[in-house]
Amino acid sequence: MYKISKLLVPVDFSERSANALKYAASLAFQSGAAITALHVVSEEKDDSLQRVLTAFEGWPVPSMKATRLPLDRQLRERTLDLYNFIERVLGNRYSSTIGREVRIGDPIKEIARVARKKRVDLVIVENPKKSLFSYLRAQGSLLRLTLRLPCAVLLAPPDSHTDWNGPRDSRLLADLRPMHR
């Protein structure tokens, strides 16, 4: 049987990535795998079509005149954000065992680089959002990511399917329940 010993969880500090992290923690607890949480600060590009479409979705359109922080400060702040995010999602008792990495660049390329470098067995990503544009955009990104990775990709189920109560709970993954909404 194939043993999963290293998990990679890309996070963007959203509730969906919190769910993916919880799912990875429950899987890691059950299999004894090590987890690495990765946050990639993407390089900003002005894509006018994307700006128009995101405006229709109700997303805030960032001002192009915004000044960026120096690179070292940006990395320090994102590293602290990642540490706090993991602690908020999983609590103190498990967050210290999770590896953390913050990178700058194209998210898909950086996820693939980290997966190769760390010889990851499984990448757990968040489920795409429900709107049509977000879904199609996420599916394209997932396809590009899957083609670049040397390992399998797992979409974490919606948050109502996962019950994370920390390592003391022995029924973590067995508690998958159908969503009743």
Side-chain angles (χ1 to χ4, degrees):
M1 185 169 151
Y2 186 70
K3 174 136 172 72
I4 296 173
S5 60
K6 295 179 184 177
L7 302 174
L8 178 64
V9 184
V11 297
D12 62 359
F13 308 123
S14 68
E15 287 303 314
R16 291 179 185 274
S17 65
N19 178 54
L21 187 60
K22 289 177 193 175
Y23 193 79
S26 66
L27 198 62
F29 177 67
Q30 195 173 42
S31 67
I35 301 174
T36 300
L38 172 68
H39 176 70
V40 180
V41 179
S42 62
E43 299 167 335
E44 288 185 26
K45 297 177 185 173
D46 181 25
D47 186 354
S48 57
L49 176 62
Q50 182 178 357
R51 289 174 54 82
V52 169
L53 292 175
T54 55
F56 283 124
E57 291 244 340
W59 295 352
V61 179
S63 169
M64 296 312 286
K65 296 179 183 177
T67 58
R68 293 191 61 139
L69 294 172
L71 190 59
D72 60 336
R73 184 174 170 193
Q74 201 174 25
L75 286 173
R76 277 195 314 265
E77 286 185 5
R78 289 300 180 184
T79 302
L80 183 60
D81 290 344
L82 182 59
Y83 178 83
N84 291 333
F85 179 76
I86 292 169
E87 193 168 297
R88 179 179 58 86
V89 170
L90 300 179
N92 314 14
R93 56 193 156 135
Y94 195 68
S95 65
S96 63
T97 61
I98 295 178
R100 297 165 182 83
E101 276 203 42
V102 176
R103 300 240 177 152
I104 293 180
D106 178 63
I108 292 172
K109 289 179 183 176
E110 292 303 319
I111 292 168
R113 279 188 191 119
V114 171
R116 279 190 193 91
K117 178 184 168 190
K118 294 192 174 277
R119 298 179 186 223
V120 170
D121 300 313
L122 183 65
V123 176
I124 300 176
V125 296
E126 62 191 60
N127 251 332
K129 295 178 183 174
K130 297 202 183 244
S131 70
L132 180 61
F133 174 67
S134 297
Y135 178 77
L136 293 175
R137 185 172 164 200
Q139 291 297 24
S141 297
L142 283 173
L143 180 61
R144 287 191 356 240
L145 177 64
T146 304
L147 293 174
R148 288 181 184 248
L149 285 174
C151 61
V153 177
L154 175 70
L155 283 176
D159 59 350
S160 64
H161 288 240
T162 307
D163 183 21
W164 170 252
N165 292 323
R168 286 183 255 146
D169 191 354
S170 62
R171 56 187 173 78
L172 293 174
L173 208 54
D175 253 4
L176 297 179
R177 345 176 249 289
M179 188 165 57
H180 299 290
R181 288 189 186 178

